[in-house]
């Protein structure tokens, strides 16, 4: 008992000590994100564990054993050739082999990660260490795949590799004759290719920012010691960029695992269905309303992998933040590209970058075409599709819903991001770091897992209310979507606001407190005006990614079509040929235009860098 | 304006003890300096006085008001930060007026007071500038004005001059002294610059490793350092260790090993005690002068420091620093005779 007593005393003293540094505002800032994450992130996920680990009313690993022993999920032999040559059609068919759902997902994710990382390192070195004509253009080109066009960009990639009238075969086989055969990429290979094209800028940007942050004197010292060229890269530059490489690679690995859009677009090929994310999704929609432990077990497995990687990489990166002291940092002297260099850049790198921007270009073409089915290029061009988005109330409602949700979510995101960014920057208590961990984790949590855990969570805790997704007649997804969107897209705003607060010296706030102003007044008059560019940029980025959100939208938002968001319409087009791909593309075009506008506002008006998120 | 009482303040950051049972008594209207090397705890103490940190134990008292756990915004102290902490999005006027607006003064009153204080710090006409448009010295004055305008009970200055260049620093410290005299505000000044501390302070507390080493007027601190740390931190000193051989009337003879030095005993000693002998270079006279402490050494190095030479001598294997006029003819390796006035030689315990 004595021990307990002294422990209690110590705890009491700690709390009373901490309270000295707190006031109503900081208490709110601490508790608001804490309660939000506990209620709307941790509880739903734990609820899902409760389903996955229970068999016949008792705790059990039964569902996991079923998954891991089934050949459907894990098949070490592998079925089917990954590629073969079809003589009759003079066609090289690449689809990948079937190693079972779980291994397929891990293999695709690994291939995507390895390819994007190598390509990302090459681009980052080129952009951070060399100067050459056309560099700005190539950099912008390498960012094009970041333009959000869920589903439709994958559709365009599928079109491009159509063996008969796809652009790639038309160009490389029919016209230029470089390829001696036609190329047909589908199934798992098609998904991997789509993900590589879509995700490589994330790795490249993470590595690039790492490389740009290396103090140039560190490399000059290396040169001074006699390291040059490739040795310098291998010994100094790349090791110093590990934090960027690792976090970029981890993000892409997780994004690939959880991606739903590419499998949905390629689902016509049987192999494309055999991925974890797609399995969770199809099993879920075919069993809506039922609590399926098998789905929960698969989701828990996916969550486990994502969380493990996320936590490992966070520790790794924080251990290895090679922060050099930035004392009047000198501008780095860039190497000039020689003739050979120009040759490589413009005959290899430029064509690849151009190729990776085709999906976005294709979406724009599709949005403005009259018909584009059996031809290499659209048969004709029209404004009708874009006009129809706004004039047809059955289509416009999706856009309107999405913009409304995103606007409402922004208010929530603002308070959540400001609170979390403020306490993690300004308060030095034990436990503050867990707010940091929780508020950044949504970037790495699979959307499909959050979406399904939400479904169970609301169906259980809010049974027979308008928040119950199984309540077919009265379900109103608005609050569920707004909370879900806010948590999933919080990291974008959080990161921007966090960086802003970090740049405001704490003395500026202390001077205000010292002058007699309270915390609220200090934040309103001193902090917020100083970080307003960061706040606005962060919120704008979050806005775009809320509008483009897929997982929660197509699982929760689909349950009452009057309230459905824009990505639901896109999904319907891909999955069941309801609606028109031209209008889906028009929606994609509108989304990309909004994103471009936001980027322009952020860079020109707020003078901020538009950065994709890392860990 | 109040006196400030600091009673047994202890503060830890994790395993590091920033302040170890510190007690000080600062008089009403006094310019009191906390002097010490970086990491000695002086800024932490200042922040505790401001209410930006709270002590683990101990008490802070303004006049007869216990303010130990009072929030910073309720203390009516005014702090000038080392980096000035001027709000970059506000003009000079808005920066200075901020504290008055918080205190809900009428608009006219605010205008009058801001105007007066800007005149005091010689910044009239700069009201509409932003901090980014001012020089370092001007920013410093704005920070000072912002602190003074609220008529604080205690003015807290945290290394306010350390970001200025050498010439401006000297100008500004006279300025700070003048303004403090004119306003009569109790002022606590933190610095690591001993010259700054000696020139402006009424009293100084020398701190090291979270403890107060000595409190006294600048002259007391300089002339009678209580221990080796104070002696070496303030001014240049020669420090020798030896054994006390003889005691006569408050003076003692110390055997350094090869030669003897006569000096003032700073505390009670017995013959045979291990002691430390401290004297300043300027108290050593070059040449053969009658009296005590006549010594001779070989010149090891000569450093020109402006109006004098600093000469490092080897006296029987011991390093001794002396000051010599520049008109003398000195060369390295040359023998040199000198003497030290026994009244300027301090003998202190070796334990401190």
């Amino acid at each position: 008992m004595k021990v307990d007593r002294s422990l209690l005393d110590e705890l009491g003293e700690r709390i009373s000590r901490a309270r000295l540094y707190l006031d109503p505002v900081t208490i709110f800032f601490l508790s608001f994100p804490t309660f939000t994450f506990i209620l709307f992130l941790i509880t739903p996920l734990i609820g899902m564990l409760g389903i996955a680990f229970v068999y016949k009313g008792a705790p059990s690993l039964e569902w996991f054993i079923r998954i891991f022993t089934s050949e459907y999920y894990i098949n070490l032999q592998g079925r089917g050739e990954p590629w073969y040559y079809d003589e009759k059609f003079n066609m090289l068919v690449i689809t990948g082999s079937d190693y079972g759902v779980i291994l397929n997902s891990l293999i695709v994710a690994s291939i995507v990660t390895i390819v994007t990382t190598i390509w990302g390192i090459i681009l980052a070195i080129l952009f951070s260490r060399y100067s050459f004509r056309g560099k700005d253009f190539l950099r912008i080109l390498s960012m094009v795949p970041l333009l959000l066009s869920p589903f439709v960009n994958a559709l365009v990639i599928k079109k491009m590799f159509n063996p008969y009238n796809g652009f790639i075969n038309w160009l490389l086989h029919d016209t230029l004759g470089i390829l001696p055969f036609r190329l047909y990429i589908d199934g798992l290979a098609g998904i991997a290719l789509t993900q590589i094209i879509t995700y490589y800028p994330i790795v490249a940007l993470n590595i690039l920012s790492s490389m740009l942050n290396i103090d140039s004197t560190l490399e000059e010292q290396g040169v001074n010691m006699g390291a040059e060229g490739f040795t310098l890269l291998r010994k100094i530059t790349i090791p110093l960029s590990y934090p960027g490489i690792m976090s970029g690679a981890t993000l892409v690995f997780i994004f690939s695992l959880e991606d739903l859009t590419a499998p949905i677009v390629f689902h016509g090929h049987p192999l494309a269905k055999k991925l974890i994310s797609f399995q969770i999704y199809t099993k879920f929609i075919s069993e809506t309303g039922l609590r399926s432990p098998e789905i929960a077990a698969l989701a828990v497995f996916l969550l486990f992998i994502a969380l493990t990687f996320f936590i490992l990489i966070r520790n790794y990166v924080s251990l290895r933040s090679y922060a050099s002291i930035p004392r009047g940092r000198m501008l780095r002297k860039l190497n000039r590209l020689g003739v050979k260099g120009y040759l490589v850049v413009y005959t290899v790198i430029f064509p690849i970058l151009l190729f990776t921007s085709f999906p976005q270009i294709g979406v724009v073409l599709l949005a403005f075409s009259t018909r584009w089915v059996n031809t290499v290029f659209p048969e004709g061009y029209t404004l009708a599709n874009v006009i129809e988005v706004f004039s047809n109330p059955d289509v416009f409602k999706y856009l309107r819903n999405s913009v409304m949700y995103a606007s409402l979510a922004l208010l929530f995101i603002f308070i959540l991001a400001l609170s979390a960014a403020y306490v993690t920057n300004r308060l030095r208590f034990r436990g503050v770091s867990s707010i940091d961990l929780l508020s950044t984790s949504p970037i790495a949590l699979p959307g499909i897992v959050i979406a399904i855990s939400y479904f169970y969570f609301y169906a259980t805790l809010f049974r027979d209310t308008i928040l119950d997704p199984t309540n077919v007649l009265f379900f109103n997804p608005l609050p569920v979507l707004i909370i879900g969107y806010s948590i999933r897209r919080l990291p974008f705003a959080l990161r921007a606001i966090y960086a802003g607060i970090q740049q405001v010296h704490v003395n500026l706030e202390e001077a205000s407190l010292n002058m007699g102003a309270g915390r609220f007044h200090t934040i309103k008059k001193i902090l917020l005006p100083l970080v307003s560019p960061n706040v606005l940029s962060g919120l704008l980025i979050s806005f775009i990614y809320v509008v483009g959100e897929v997982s929660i939208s197509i699982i929760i938002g689909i349950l009452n079509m009057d309230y459905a968001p824009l990505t639901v319409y896109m999904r319907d087009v891909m999955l069941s040929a309801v609606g028109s791909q031209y209008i889906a593309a028009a929606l994609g075009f509108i989304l990309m235009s909004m994103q471009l506008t936001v980027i322009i506002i952020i860079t020109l008006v707020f003078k901020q860098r538009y950065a994709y998120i890392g860990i | 304006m109040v006196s400030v009482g600091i009673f047994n303040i202890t503060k830890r950051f994790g395993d590091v003890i920033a302040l170890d049972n510190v007690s000080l008594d600062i008089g009403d209207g006094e310019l009191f300096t906390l002097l010490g090397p970086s990491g000695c705890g002086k800024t932490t103490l200042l922040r505790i006085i401001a209410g930006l940190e709270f002590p683990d134990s101990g008490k802070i008292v303004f006049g007869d008001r216990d303010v130990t756990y009072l929030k910073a915004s309720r203390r009516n102290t005014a702090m000038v930060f080392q980096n000035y902490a001027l709000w970059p999005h506000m003009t000079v006027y808005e920066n200075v007026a901020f504290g008055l607006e918080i205190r809900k003064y009428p608009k006219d009153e605010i205008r009058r007071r801001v105007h007066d204080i800007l005149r005091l710090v010689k910044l009239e006409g700069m009201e509409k500038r932003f901090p980014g448009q001012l020089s370092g010295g001007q920013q410093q004055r704005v920070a000072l004005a912002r602190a003074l305008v609220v008529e604080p009970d205690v003015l807290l200055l945290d290394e306010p001059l350390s970001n200025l260049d050498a010439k401006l620093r000297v100008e500004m410290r006279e300025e700070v002294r003048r303004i403090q005299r004119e306003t009569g505000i109790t002022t606590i000044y933190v610095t690591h610059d001993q010259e700054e501390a000696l020139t402006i302070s009424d009293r100084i507390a020398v701190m090291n490793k979270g403890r107060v080493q000595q409190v006294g007027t600048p002259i007391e601190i300089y002339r009678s350092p209580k221990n080796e740390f104070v002696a070496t931190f303030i001014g240049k000193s020669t420090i020798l260790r030896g054994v006390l051989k003889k005691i006569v009337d408050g003076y003692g003879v110390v055997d350094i090993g090869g030669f003897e030095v006569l000096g003032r005993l700073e505390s009670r000693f017995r013959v045979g005690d291990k002691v430390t002998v401290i004297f300043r270079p300027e108290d050593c006279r070059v040449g053969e002068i009658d009296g005590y402490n006549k010594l001779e050494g070989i010149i090891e190095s000569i450093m020109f420091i402006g109006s004098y030479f600093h000469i490092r001598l080897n006296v029987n294997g011991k390093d001794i620093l002396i000051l010599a006029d520049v008109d003398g003819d000195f060369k390295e390796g040359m023998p040199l005779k000198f003497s030290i006035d026994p009244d300027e030689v301090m003998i202190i315990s070796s334990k401190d």
Side-chain angles (χ1 to χ4, degrees):
Chain A
M1 286 308 282
K2 233 179 183 179
V3 176
D4 285 350
R5 188 111 205 112
S6 74
L7 271 177
L8 275 180
D9 283 353
E10 200 194 314
L11 191 69
E13 186 165 318
R14 253 207 205 134
I15 289 172
S16 66
R17 192 141 298 282
R19 273 183 51 190
L20 289 173
Y21 292 90
L22 293 176
D23 48 64
V25 177
T26 40
I27 289 170
F28 173 78
F29 277 5
L30 269 174
S31 44
F32 183 68
T34 308
F35 284 127
T36 306
F37 289 127
I38 289 177
L39 193 59
F40 295 112
L41 188 61
I42 296 175
T43 315
L45 291 178
I46 288 178
M48 208 172 55
L49 295 185
I51 299 167
F53 285 102
V54 171
Y55 180 65
K56 290 184 176 168
S60 158
L61 288 176
E62 174 66 22
W63 299 108
F64 292 92
I65 293 167
R66 281 194 193 187
I67 291 172
F68 287 111
T69 51
S70 150
E71 273 213 348
Y72 188 74
Y73 286 105
I74 294 179
N75 172 10
L76 292 172
Q77 265 70 51
R79 256 194 296 265
E81 295 295 320
W83 58 75
Y84 61 91
Y85 176 69
D86 186 328
E87 270 182 52
K88 192 172 153 206
F89 295 102
N90 182 28
M91 191 191 286
L92 183 68
V93 183
I94 309 177
T95 58
S97 324
D98 183 6
Y99 288 89
V101 170
I102 289 177
L103 290 183
N104 286 347
S105 273
L106 293 176
I107 291 168
V108 168
S110 305
I111 291 173
V112 170
T113 306
I114 291 166
V115 175
T116 52
T117 304
I118 293 171
W119 181 233
I121 292 174
I122 294 172
L123 288 183
I125 290 170
L126 182 70
F127 291 147
S128 68
R129 298 295 183 265
Y130 290 92
S131 71
F132 55 92
R133 272 166 195 272
K135 180 170 154 179
D136 286 341
F137 174 68
L138 289 197
R139 273 194 69 163
I140 291 171
L141 205 56
S142 77
M143 307 256 279
V144 168
L146 284 180
L147 290 176
L148 270 177
S149 178
F151 297 110
V152 201
N153 65 328
L155 179 72
V156 171
I157 292 173
K158 202 175 154 193
K159 262 185 188 304
M160 274 163 55
F161 283 94
N162 182 306
Y164 306 106
N165 43 44
F167 177 77
I168 294 298
N169 284 308
W170 170 79
L171 182 74
L172 299 182
H173 180 262
D174 304 354
T175 309
L176 297 177
I178 299 173
L179 272 186
F181 44 77
R182 284 169 187 276
L183 199 56
Y184 175 38
I185 299 181
D186 202 343
L188 294 174
I191 292 170
L193 182 71
T194 305
Q195 292 178 343
I196 288 168
I197 295 176
T198 315
Y199 296 143
Y200 83 81
I202 298 167
V203 199
L205 283 176
N206 268 290
I207 303 174
L208 185 62
S209 86
S210 253
M211 287 194 176
L212 289 175
N213 279 327
I214 297 173
D215 193 324
S216 58
T217 54
L218 292 175
E219 284 170 318
E220 283 162 8
Q221 183 70 70
V223 174
N224 183 250
M225 298 285 175
E228 263 185 322
F230 189 66
T231 315
L232 184 72
L233 282 177
R234 195 167 55 85
K235 294 270 187 195
I236 311 275
T237 312
I238 291 176
L240 283 173
S241 316
Y242 277 160
I245 296 173
M246 294 299 176
S247 42
T250 307
L251 276 182
V252 166
F253 188 80
I254 296 171
F255 286 1
S256 165
L257 280 182
E258 66 150 331
D259 179 36
L260 261 181
T261 58
I264 286 178
V265 170
F266 282 90
H267 81 286
H269 191 283
L271 256 183
K273 294 178 176 174
K274 293 199 72 178
L275 286 170
I276 299 175
S277 55
F278 192 81
Q279 286 297 312
I280 296 176
Y281 182 63
T282 43
K283 286 206 164 65
F284 179 81
I285 49 173
S286 59
E287 296 176 21
T288 296
L290 300 173
R291 205 156 304 175
S292 160
E294 195 182 343
I295 296 170
L298 260 184
V300 166
F301 176 69
L302 196 57
L303 178 69
F304 172 76
I305 296 180
L307 267 185
T308 309
F309 273 92
F310 175 68
I311 288 168
L312 281 179
I313 199 67
R314 254 181 70 104
N315 290 338
Y316 175 83
V317 170
S318 69
L319 280 178
R320 291 206 177 211
S321 46
Y322 303 107
S324 339
I325 312 132
R327 48 178 66 178
R329 186 171 288 181
M330 302 241 289
L331 267 181
R332 181 186 295 281
K333 201 177 146 285
L334 297 177
N335 302 314
R336 289 238 172 135
L337 219 49
V339 178
K340 266 193 233 160
Y342 269 98
L343 213 62
V344 171
V345 166
Y346 282 100
T347 60
V348 182
I349 292 178
F350 171 65
I352 296 178
L353 287 180
L354 196 63
F355 163 70
T356 61
S357 68
F358 282 168
Q360 271 67 14
I361 298 170
V363 170
V364 178
L365 290 182
L366 194 59
F368 290 97
S369 38
T370 48
R371 191 179 142 82
W372 188 8
V373 182
N374 293 319
T375 48
V376 177
F377 293 105
E379 289 173 27
Y381 296 96
T382 174
L383 289 174
N385 306 318
V386 178
I387 291 171
E388 192 172 347
V389 169
F390 293 97
S391 59
N392 182 347
D394 283 336
V395 180
F396 183 68
K397 74 173 185 197
Y398 296 103
L399 181 62
R400 189 198 58 210
N401 286 342
S402 275
V403 170
M404 176 180 68
Y405 297 150
S407 311
L408 291 171
L410 277 201
L411 186 69
F412 201 54
I413 291 177
F414 170 66
I415 302 174
L416 212 51
L418 180 67
S419 313
Y422 192 83
V423 295
T424 47
N425 250 311
R426 293 290 191 247
L427 299 184
R428 295 276 163 267
F429 302 144
R430 244 178 248 186
V432 164
S433 59
S434 55
I435 292 184
D436 188 35
L437 182 76
L438 280 174
S439 52
T440 47
S441 68
I443 191 72
L445 293 175
I448 177 114
V449 176
I450 296 185
I452 285 175
S453 73
Y454 267 36
F455 182 89
Y456 295 144
F457 172 74
Y458 286 100
T460 314
L461 278 181
F462 297 90
R463 176 154 286 281
D464 296 330
T465 69
I466 57 158
L467 294 183
D468 176 3
T470 58
N471 186 347
V472 189
L473 291 176
F474 300 108
F475 175 60
N476 184 342
L478 185 137
V480 182
L481 288 178
I482 288 172
I483 292 170
Y485 288 158
S486 301
I487 287 180
R488 278 209 79 194
R489 299 316 194 203
L490 171 69
F492 294 90
L494 177 77
R495 204 186 194 199
I497 298 177
Y498 185 92
I501 295 180
Q502 212 169 26
Q503 280 158 22
V504 175
H505 199 291
V506 66
N507 280 173
L508 294 182
E509 284 171 62
E510 288 176 345
S512 163
L513 296 172
N514 178 251
M515 284 288 107
R519 182 80 61 177
F520 185 76
H521 196 78
T522 300
I523 288 172
K524 194 175 111 192
K525 288 283 182 185
I526 308 293
L527 185 68
L528 278 182
L530 291 173
V531 299
S532 57
N534 303 74
V535 172
L536 291 167
S537 331
L539 290 180
L540 282 173
I541 301 172
S542 280
F543 181 88
I544 292 300
Y545 283 92
V546 167
V547 175
E549 204 275 350
V550 172
S551 303
I552 299 181
S553 305
I554 65 172
I555 284 185
I556 308 279
I558 205 163
L559 297 170
N560 183 338
M561 286 311 270
D562 287 339
Y563 291 95
L566 171 150
T567 39
V568 166
Y569 178 85
M570 292 172 149
R571 181 214 78 133
D572 283 356
V573 172
M574 305 303 146
L575 216 51
S576 46
V578 173
S580 115
Q581 53 168 303
Y582 305 104
I583 289 173
L587 286 169
F589 168 74
I590 291 165
L591 189 54
M592 293 195 295
S593 312
M594 278 162 50
Q595 193 178 2
L596 266 181
T597 315
V598 161
I599 294 174
I600 290 166
I601 292 174
I602 289 173
T603 40
L604 294 185
V605 183
F606 299 140
K607 313 273 180 221
Q608 301 276 310
R609 264 178 59 206
Y610 176 85
Y612 193 82
I613 197 129
I615 288 184
Chain B
M1 274 141 272
V2 295
S3 59
V4 177
I6 295 160
F7 299 101
N8 310 99
I9 292 290
T10 295
K11 173 79 182 171
R12 288 162 192 276
F13 292 108
D15 294 333
V16 182
I17 300 188
L19 292 169
D20 187 0
N21 200 23
V22 169
S23 295
L24 290 168
D25 190 6
I26 297 159
D28 189 355
E30 193 174 21
L31 201 169
F32 191 92
T33 297
L34 303 173
L35 174 64
S38 55
C40 75
K42 55 193 193 298
T43 295
T44 305
L45 183 56
L46 199 72
R47 289 171 60 84
I48 286 177
I49 297 169
L52 296 170
E53 297 281 354
F54 297 95
D56 296 338
S57 61
K59 225 162 65 163
I60 302 283
V61 176
F62 288 178
D64 47 16
R65 196 162 57 117
D66 183 341
V67 298
T68 315
Y69 298 113
L70 199 65
K71 296 256 178 233
S73 52
R74 305 271 168 80
R75 287 201 188 194
N76 201 30
T77 64
M79 184 144 168
V80 174
F81 291 83
Q82 185 169 11
N83 57 7
Y84 315 140
L86 296 179
W87 300 305
H89 60 303
M90 296 185 186
T91 61
V92 168
Y93 182 90
E94 287 164 341
N95 264 282
V96 177
F98 185 87
L100 298 173
E101 280 159 8
I102 295 291
R103 286 165 176 74
K104 305 234 186 305
Y105 280 77
K107 274 234 162 82
D108 294 352
E109 177 82 7
I110 294 179
R111 205 169 303 132
R112 192 180 58 73
R113 284 186 183 231
V114 172
H115 180 77
D116 287 353
I117 209 77
L118 286 178
R119 197 171 52 208
L120 182 74
V121 300
K122 299 176 181 163
L123 276 179
E124 299 126 300
M126 300 283 188
E127 287 85 350
K128 292 200 174 125
R129 303 263 185 107
F130 284 91
Q133 299 168 307
L134 302 177
S135 70
Q138 288 169 329
Q139 291 183 15
Q140 168 65 67
R141 286 161 201 266
V142 177
L144 204 53
R146 185 177 68 183
L148 289 169
V149 79
V150 296
E151 297 182 347
D153 289 338
V154 187
L155 178 64
L156 304 170
L157 305 169
D158 183 10
E159 308 237 10
L161 308 181
S162 62
N163 285 337
L164 302 178
D165 62 50
K167 191 163 164 262
L168 201 55
R169 196 150 53 208
V170 173
E171 252 173 65
M172 278 306 296
R173 79 182 180 216
E174 280 159 20
E175 198 71 3
V176 169
R177 181 73 211 167
R178 172 182 70 83
I179 291 167
Q180 199 269 337
R181 284 272 152 77
E182 273 176 43
T183 55
I185 297 174
T186 310
T187 301
I188 303 174
Y189 191 105
V190 160
T191 182
H192 66 271
D193 182 332
Q194 41 125 347
E195 189 184 316
E196 206 170 287
L198 292 174
T199 45
I200 72 167
S201 318
D202 291 322
R203 280 195 304 150
I204 298 172
V206 182
M207 295 181 66
N208 189 33
K209 293 181 180 165
R211 289 180 178 214
V212 173
Q213 305 292 320
Q214 186 173 1
V215 181
T217 65
I219 293 176
E220 283 165 6
I221 298 270
Y222 189 84
R223 295 287 304 276
S224 314
K226 259 173 80 181
N227 58 33
E228 206 178 309
F229 175 79
V230 178
T232 46
F233 192 72
I234 308 216
K236 286 203 180 285
S237 299
T238 293
I239 305 217
L240 301 169
R241 278 169 230 285
V243 178
L244 195 57
K245 259 181 80 180
K246 210 158 87 184
I247 298 178
V248 188
D249 268 354
Y251 289 86
V253 177
V254 180
D255 181 2
I256 305 297
F259 62 98
E260 289 174 353
V261 176
L262 176 66
R264 249 165 44 213
L265 293 173
E266 293 291 318
S267 48
R268 286 174 175 278
F269 291 108
R270 270 183 281 174
V271 171
D273 280 354
K274 286 186 177 166
V275 292
T276 299
V277 172
I278 299 169
F279 51 88
R280 306 244 179 228
E282 61 267 31
D283 294 324
C284 302
R285 299 239 193 130
V286 175
E288 282 194 75
I289 297 158
D290 285 339
Y292 302 98
N293 290 341
K294 281 192 270 191
L295 298 169
E296 185 175 336
I298 307 292
I299 298 179
E300 293 221 308
S301 69
I302 306 166
M303 236 186 317
F304 179 56
I305 56 158
S307 34
Y308 297 98
F309 284 129
H310 260 159
I311 297 183
R312 192 168 289 287
L313 290 168
N314 181 341
V315 181
N316 272 17
K318 299 282 191 293
D319 247 0
I320 291 181
L321 193 65
I322 70 169
L323 212 58
D325 284 338
V326 286
D327 45 8
D329 179 24
F330 306 109
K331 279 202 187 76
E332 283 173 20
M334 201 173 97
L336 187 67
K337 289 186 171 154
F338 67 101
S339 65
I340 321 160
D341 180 352
D343 279 326
E344 307 299 341
V345 178
M346 282 163 292
I347 298 171
I348 61 172
S349 163
S350 274
K351 274 174 254 159
D352 281 324

